[in-house]
């Protein structure tokens, strides 16, 4: 157990000892007022690796040099470019390579997966999800329910935090699933809630869903590259994620999907099909009759967006070098240090100016810490920006920050604390 101290020398010492310290150099850090910013929005848009431009340029050059031949004769032939990813994503997701496919965008994948795994019947048609899920997920769920002819009011059950609390108790999730065991078709949660930063116990939720006879899926937008995942072992049925948050693969970057092996081998499973999901050996025979690949690739529709995938590859190569274990260890330390600093700031006031709404329990959070400012939240947020801190504002009074292990430092966290304290002392 490390004894944290709210001092510059302590933060510098932690940075010096950090086995991942060299990775910061591999990223472009945005500059504000002539100085490197304290970039705490890696949970929203991860920073650009310095290698990304070369990776993308290589594909542009192959296109220039080879034209259509680049599909088979480029340096990384585009025909199987997407096959570079499952192996690298496997330790990040805790999944078998055959269960992973990189394709499309996040919300598109959510719809594709719900098409296969939300198959309501007259008795079983409900979806259990978290209250205040990310809006795109809410809209996806609502429209899927309507598509099947059900009423969202009846078919969607949201699990809420208890009165006076910000996060959802696992007991309430499990009880809701049990109470609706006969009518629930699907349990669909985020891995980490985008607003509170609460990480859900996916293993328990998955078990409870299956015990109730339902299927279970997760939106991992805020979980992938951030917390430990063991999708295969937890027997999660499906999951999807985007690559532009913790995975640093660029705005609107190509997304991903996980489908458990027990489902990928079932070629009869209903799905929306496209030619890229068809068996490779006969894909170019262009014949009638869709025969899916028996891996997660069987859910692919279109040929791959190579430029976006090149950016993804640049970032995943860094993840491979850093190693997920070391990233998780440093990520935990950074967020614990941030908690310590905020508690220390609060201790200087008679009434706490900051309420942390992210759970403090290490198993219930990732890098993100969401802070509710009791007074003058918006002013403080604007002032942070002027002082070179890039954080994220959510109405009515929450500031979200994430210190991410690939490029943030303990000094970033210390400096953030100094700035917040100075602003609070003045206001
Ligand atoms: C970021 C995020 C999205 C964004 O969806 P896109 O399809 O990538 O635009 C959706 N859901 C969650 C939970 C998110 O965090």
């Amino acid at each position: 157990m490390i004894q944290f101290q709210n001092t510059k020398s302590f933060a510098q010492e932690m940075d010096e000892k950090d086995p991942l310290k060299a990775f910061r150099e591999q990223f472009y850090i945005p500059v504000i007022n002539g100085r490197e910013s304290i970039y705490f929005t890696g949970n929203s848009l991860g920073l650009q690796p310095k290698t990304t431009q070369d990776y993308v340029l290589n594909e542009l050059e192959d296109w220039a040099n080879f034209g259509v031949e680049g599909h088979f004769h480029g340096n990384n032939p585009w025909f199987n470019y997407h096959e570079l990813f499952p192996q690298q994503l496997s330790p990040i997701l805790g999944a078998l390579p055959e269960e992973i496919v990189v394709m499309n965008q996040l919300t598109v994948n959510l719809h594709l997966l719900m098409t296969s795994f939300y198959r309501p019947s007259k008795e079983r048609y409900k979806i259990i999800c978290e209250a205040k899920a990310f809006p795109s997920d809410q809209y996806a769920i609502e429209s899927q329910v309507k598509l099947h002819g059900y009423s969202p009011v009846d078919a969607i059950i949201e699990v809420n935090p208890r009165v006076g609390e910000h996060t959802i108790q696992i007991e309430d999730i499990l009880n809701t699933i049990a109470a609706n065991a006969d009518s629930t078709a699907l349990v669909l949660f985020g891995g980490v809630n985008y607003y509170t930063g609460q990480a859900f116990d996916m293993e328990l939720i998955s078990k409870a869903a299956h015990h109730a006879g339902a299927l279970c899926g997760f939106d991992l937008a805020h979980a992938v590259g951030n917390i430990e995942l063991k999708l295969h072992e937890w027997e999660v049925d499906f999951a999807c994620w985007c690559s532009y948050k913790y995975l640093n693969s660029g705005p609107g970057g190509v997304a991903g999907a996980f489908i458990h092996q027990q489902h990928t081998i079932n070629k009869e499973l209903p799905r929306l099909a496209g030619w890229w999901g068809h068996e490779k050996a006969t894909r170019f025979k262009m014949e009638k009759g869709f025969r899916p690949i028996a891996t997660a690739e069987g859910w692919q529709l279109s040929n791959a967006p190579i430029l976006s995938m090149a950016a993804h590859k640049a970032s995943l190569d860094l993840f491979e070098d850093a190693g997920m274990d070391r990233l998780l260890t440093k990520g935990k330390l950074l967020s614990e240090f941030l908690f310590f600093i905020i508690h220390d700031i609060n201790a200087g006031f008679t009434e706490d100016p900051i309420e942390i709404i992210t759970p403090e329990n290490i198993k219930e959070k990732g890098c993100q810490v969401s802070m509710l400012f009791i007074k003058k939240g918006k002013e403080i947020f604007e002032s942070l920006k002027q002082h070179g801190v890039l954080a994220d504002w959510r109405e009515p009074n929450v500031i979200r920050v994430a210190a991410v292990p690939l490029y943030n430092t303990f000094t970033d966290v210390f400096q953030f604390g100094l700035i917040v304290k100075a602003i609070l002392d003045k206001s």
Side-chain angles (χ1 to χ4, degrees), residues 173-224:
I173 298 173
L174 301 180
N175 286 342
T176 306
I177 295 171
N180 295 279
D182 295 338
S183 55
T184 300
L186 177 65
V187 177
L188 180 58
F189 268 72
V192 174
N193 181 276
Y194 81 100
Y195 183 73
T196 62
Q198 178 181 19
F200 295 108
D201 189 327
M202 290 179 251
E203 184 175 19
L204 280 184
I205 294 173
S206 171
K207 280 208 178 106
H210 293 150
H211 187 70
L215 294 175
C216 180
F218 291 98
D219 181 330
L220 302 177
H222 280 267
V224 69

Side-chain angles (χ1 to χ4, degrees), residues 43-44 105-108 110 133-137 190 192 194 219-222 242 244-245 252 255:
N43 56 338
S44 194
Q105 309 293 115
L106 169 56
T107 309
V108 173
L110 185 56
F134 193 91
S136 200
D137 302 52
V192 174
Y194 81 100
D219 181 330
L220 302 177
H222 280 267
C242 54
Y244 49 82
K245 292 173 179 166

Side-chain angles (χ1 to χ4, degrees), residues 58-84:
N58 283 341
E59 300 316 316
L60 286 171
E61 276 169 12
D62 278 0
W63 180 23
N65 292 331
F66 302 114
V68 71
E69 297 277 287
H71 280 299
F72 297 100
H73 302 304
N75 293 313
N76 302 303
W78 306 324
F79 179 75
N80 19 33
Y81 199 96
H82 63 275
E83 293 170 12
L84 297 170

Side-chain angles (χ1 to χ4, degrees), residues 13-79:
E13 196 185 310
M14 290 294 287
D15 285 332
E16 211 38 60
K17 284 194 294 202
D18 172 15
L20 297 176
K21 65 183 169 193
F23 282 87
R24 181 179 170 87
E25 281 298 306
Q26 312 246 25
F27 288 85
Y28 291 110
I29 312 288
V31 168
I32 296 181
N33 301 330
R35 286 173 56 180
E36 276 189 352
S37 61
I38 297 177
Y39 193 80
F40 275 175
T41 41
N43 56 338
S44 194
L45 184 71
L47 290 180
Q48 182 183 149
K50 288 180 179 166
T51 48
T52 301
Q53 295 184 21
D54 279 345
Y55 278 61
V56 175
L57 261 178
N58 283 341
E59 300 316 316
L60 286 171
E61 276 169 12
D62 278 0
W63 180 23
N65 292 331
F66 302 114
V68 71
E69 297 277 287
H71 280 299
F72 297 100
H73 302 304
N75 293 313
N76 302 303
W78 306 324
F79 179 75

Side-chain angles (χ1 to χ4, degrees), residues 265-278:
I265 56 176
N266 176 7
K267 295 188 178 189
E268 303 305 314
L269 202 68
R271 71 192 78 189
L272 294 176
W275 73 320
W276 229 247
H278 188 87

Side-chain angles (χ1 to χ4, degrees), residues 150-194:
Y150 297 91
S151 137
V153 177
D154 178 33
I156 302 173
I157 301 177
E158 294 185 346
V159 187
N160 278 282
R162 294 184 186 175
V163 177
E165 297 182 2
H166 296 287
T167 50
I168 305 172
Q169 303 222 7
I170 182 71
E171 190 189 332
D172 294 346
I173 298 173
L174 301 180
N175 286 342
T176 306
I177 295 171
N180 295 279
D182 295 338
S183 55
T184 300
L186 177 65
V187 177
L188 180 58
F189 268 72
V192 174
N193 181 276
Y194 81 100

